[in-house]
């Protein structure tokens, strides 16, 4: 299990004065348009697509391309020293349905985790939060994690891996759930009641989504990097 508090520090020398001055100058003269488009902070739980026992707290910082496509940077906590552990792309049900069937298994549904109360917006009032999450409830996400913080890695080791989200009762470790509820002052059970009115996916969860109920793992293999037909 994994919580936001990280005992493992990232190796390396502390930032020196030169780096700090360059950062200050950069902020003054450069534009950060993509980052400045981030408007939402969502907290949820992910597990590795090949191992449901490896569950992590995931803080999503998201921006909208439009009403049907969003993109999120994922950190292991909301703190200043948080590790960037992954990314997630979110699409509407309509766009998901246009994806090739071989692509659909790497996308996960959001309906259960939203209606179950497990996905929330820290610090946002309930009525406002539920307005946004009623939209998220009808979407699918594609998530890749690069940094295996649950293993205590001080650096992003290993291959990027596909992640999945909660789809049923008794999947989330109670210790992890209670830890998050306590730190953020939320109740998953109470919020589940508050979200009973949400309708979710219009066509129901697609049978190929959520890895089609199977495990998925990224593996490395050698191949020709110069195609023969060139």
């Amino acid at each position: 299990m994994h919580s936001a508090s990280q005992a493992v520090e990232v190796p390396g020398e502390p930032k020196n004065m030169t780096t700090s001055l360059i950062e200050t100058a950069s902020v003054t003269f450069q534009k950060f348009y993509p980052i400045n488009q981030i408007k939402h902070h969502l907290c949820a739980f992910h597990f590795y697509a090949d191992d449901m026992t490896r569950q992590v707290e995931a803080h999503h910082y998201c921006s909208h391309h439009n009403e049907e496509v969003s993109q999120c940077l994922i950190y292991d906590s909301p703190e200043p020293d948080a590790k960037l552990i992954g990314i997630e792309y979110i699409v509407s049900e309509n766009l998901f349905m246009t994806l090739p069937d071989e692509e659909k298994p790497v996308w996960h549904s959001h309906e259960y985790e939203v209606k179950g109360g497990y996905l929330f917006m820290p610090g946002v009032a309930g009525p406002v939060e539920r307005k946004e999450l009623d939209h998220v409830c009808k979407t699918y996400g594609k998530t890749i994690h690069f940094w295996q913080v649950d293993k205590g890695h001080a650096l992003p080791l290993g291959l990027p891996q596909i992640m999945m989200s909660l789809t049923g009762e008794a999947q989330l470790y109670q210790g992890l759930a209670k830890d998050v509820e306590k730190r953020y002052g939320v109740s998953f059970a109470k919020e589940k009641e508050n979200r009973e009115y949400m309708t979710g996916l219009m066509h129901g969860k697609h049978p190929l989504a959520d890895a089609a109920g199977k495990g998925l793992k990224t593996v490395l293999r050698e191949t020709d990097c110069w195609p023969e037909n060139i």
Side-chain angles (χ1 to χ4, degrees):
M1 292 183 291
H2 167 66
S3 67
S5 300
Q6 290 301 306
V8 179
E9 294 185 3
V10 178
E13 293 294 324
K15 285 195 298 186
N16 58 36
M17 183 63 70
T18 299
T19 299
S20 297
L21 288 173
I22 292 173
E23 289 179 341
T24 300
S26 298
V27 170
T28 302
F29 297 108
Q30 292 186 312
K31 304 298 182 183
F32 296 87
Y33 293 129
I35 303 300
N36 291 338
Q37 294 306 305
I38 291 175
K39 305 297 183 184
H40 293 94
H41 170 202
L42 307 174
C43 182
F45 303 94
H46 290 159
F47 61 82
Y48 282 78
D50 69 315
D51 187 352
M52 190 179 290
T53 68
R54 297 181 60 193
Q55 304 178 1
V56 296
E57 180 181 336
H59 291 266
H60 304 56
Y61 290 85
C62 307
S63 61
H64 293 290
H65 273 294
N66 52 50
E67 286 298 315
E68 295 192 78
V69 180
S70 299
Q71 57 188 17
C72 308
L73 299 175
I74 302 176
Y75 293 83
D76 67 334
S77 87
E79 303 304 321
D81 62 347
K83 300 177 179 69
L84 176 63
I85 62 175
I87 56 174
E88 179 166 356
Y89 301 103
I90 299 174
V91 299
S92 67
E93 181 180 15
N94 287 337
L95 289 181
F96 173 81
M97 297 298 286
T98 69
L99 298 175
D101 282 352
E102 61 267 24
E103 171 71 15
K104 289 184 175 74
V106 300
W107 293 75
H108 60 265
S109 59
H110 291 130
E111 181 172 349
Y112 177 80
E113 62 177 342
V114 171
K115 294 176 71 172
Y118 301 107
L119 195 158
F120 64 99
M121 301 175 70
V124 176
V128 177
E129 175 189 61
R130 288 190 284 276
K131 186 71 174 178
E132 170 64 14
L133 295 185
D134 190 27
H135 170 76
V136 177
C137 189
K138 303 171 176 64
T139 64
Y140 289 89
K142 180 179 184 178
T143 301
I144 300 171
H145 279 201
F146 309 102
W147 201 325
Q148 301 183 57
V149 290
D150 65 307
K151 287 189 172 182
H153 290 177
L155 291 171
L157 308 178
L159 298 179
Q161 294 293 336
I162 298 292
M163 308 295 286
M164 292 294 162
S165 64
L166 303 173
T167 58
E169 296 291 338
Q171 290 180 348
L172 181 63
Y173 285 129
Q174 286 304 298
L176 181 57
K178 291 179 180 179
D179 177 48
V180 170
E181 287 180 306
K182 180 178 180 180
R183 279 190 282 115
Y184 294 99
V186 297
S187 168
F188 297 148
K190 183 176 180 180
E191 196 52 35
K192 179 180 180 179
E193 296 178 359
N194 292 334
R195 301 177 188 179
E196 287 182 348
Y197 70 92
M198 295 183 180
T199 56
L201 296 163
M202 181 181 301
H203 302 289
K205 189 180 75 170
H206 195 284
L208 293 178
D210 299 298
K214 301 177 182 179
L216 292 178
K217 185 174 184 177
T218 304
V219 295
L220 190 67
R221 65 179 179 84
E222 291 186 358
T223 185
D224 291 331
C225 61
W226 190 261
E228 294 180 357
N229 59 352
I230 291 182

